[in-house]
Amino acid sequence: MPAEPGTNQSVERAVAVLRAFGPDRPQLRVSDVAQIVGLGTSTTSRLLATLEQLDLVERDPVSALYRVGLGVLPLAAVAVNQHPVHRASRMVLQELAARTGLGANAAVRRDDQLMFLCNFEGPRAPKAYTQAGHTAPLHATGIGKCLLSGMSPGERRALLGAELPAHTQHTVTSHEALDAVLEEIRRAGYAVEEEERALGRASVAAPVVDSGGAVVAGVSLWGPASVLNEPRRRAELVREVIEAADAISQALGAH
């Protein structure tokens, strides 16, 4: 792992070790981490030992598997709680989830994926284990399509690459089809996702804009496809999510 010009290789390696852990890899062996980050086992072991002393990772005394330590929690809390979209959307989405009984999310774009900043689950939302920091594909989610709607076709192709992976048989997998969907989102002011990322689930979403009118985030209501696909119910939820997005946009300075 060569260091980038002007950076510190030791810091880069330590961060790479921490980033080896994720929602689908919560616990790892030393050899697993070494393979993921492309370092030798002995180097990886020393890095993990140092991070363990700093409380950034911890090792299970029985299995000897490593996991992220509680020492990262204060840093993560500062990052999330100080983010302007999180501050503006937290109460709005909490009330929205309670009012509709569904799940309410806010997310921003991080490179070629979206990252959730907050998630509230109403009683009718299937348990999804979506948490702050989790990521999801842009082209296969309602929020993601809202985020893409603020970009030009050329920018989207450069960002996403030539191929759009299929997550279900309903996922949009061509840029031409995605262009048409995003044009409709710009016209209507909201997005719909019907079982494109996971079967049985659907969502409606709306873009959040800043004081300059740029799309900086998206919010969504999600739940069982049977609930969101009912025409009268969907119309109500579209109104709810657009109003929530407008309230958050105004808190960010949009007119």
Side-chain angles (χ1 to χ4, degrees), residues 209-216 252-255:
V209 299
D210 62 11
S211 58
V215 177
V216 294
L252 295 175
H255 298 289

Side-chain angles (χ1 to χ4, degrees), residues 2-229:
E4 293 293 328
T7 63
N8 184 286
Q9 188 178 58
S10 296
V11 175
E12 284 190 343
R13 287 178 169 181
V15 171
V17 167
L18 285 174
R19 287 179 171 171
F21 299 90
D24 56 339
R25 299 191 300 258
Q27 297 188 84
L28 296 169
R29 299 186 297 267
V30 174
S31 58
D32 297 328
V33 178
Q35 183 177 14
I36 292 168
V37 301
L39 294 173
T41 302
S42 59
T43 300
T44 303
S45 180
R46 290 195 299 271
L47 287 167
L48 285 167
T50 302
L51 292 170
E52 184 178 12
Q53 292 178 3
L54 297 172
D55 195 29
L56 298 180
V57 301
E58 56 189 31
R59 183 171 51 175
D60 187 284
V62 177
S63 68
L65 293 173
Y66 281 93
R67 56 179 175 259
V68 176
L70 291 178
V72 305
L73 193 56
L75 294 174
V78 170
V80 172
N81 292 329
Q82 292 303 307
H83 196 286
V85 172
H86 181 272
R87 293 201 308 268
S89 62
R90 183 172 51 198
M91 291 302 299
V92 173
L93 296 185
Q94 188 172 1
E95 293 172 359
L96 184 61
R99 189 164 59 249
T100 62
L102 298 171
N105 295 321
V108 296
R109 183 173 69 83
R110 296 282 289 177
D111 297 324
D112 62 347
Q113 292 189 309
L114 66 82
M115 178 177 287
F116 292 103
L117 293 182
C118 54
N119 172 65
F120 298 97
E121 295 177 358
R124 301 187 68 182
K127 190 66 177 177
Y129 303 101
T130 297
Q131 300 171 357
H134 282 196
T135 58
L138 292 167
H139 71 285
T141 56
I143 288 182
K145 285 184 279 191
C146 287
L147 293 167
L148 290 173
S149 70
M151 305 174 69
S152 70
E155 290 172 332
R156 291 194 296 271
R157 283 161 173 76
L159 176 69
L160 300 178
E163 296 184 4
L164 303 178
H167 297 269
T168 74
Q169 65 266 37
H170 304 292
T171 308
V172 174
T173 56
S174 77
H175 279 286
E176 292 72 20
L178 183 61
D179 289 343
V181 169
L182 298 180
E183 182 60 35
E184 177 61 21
I185 291 170
R186 285 191 291 269
R187 185 195 65 79
Y190 68 92
V192 175
E193 180 263 307
E194 299 181 74
E195 300 185 277
E196 294 178 48
R197 186 184 174 207
L199 294 176
R201 285 178 46 187
S203 70
V204 293
V208 172
V209 299
D210 62 11
S211 58
V215 177
V216 294
V219 296
S220 72
L221 278 169
W222 65 270
S226 57
V227 174
L228 278 88
N229 288 341

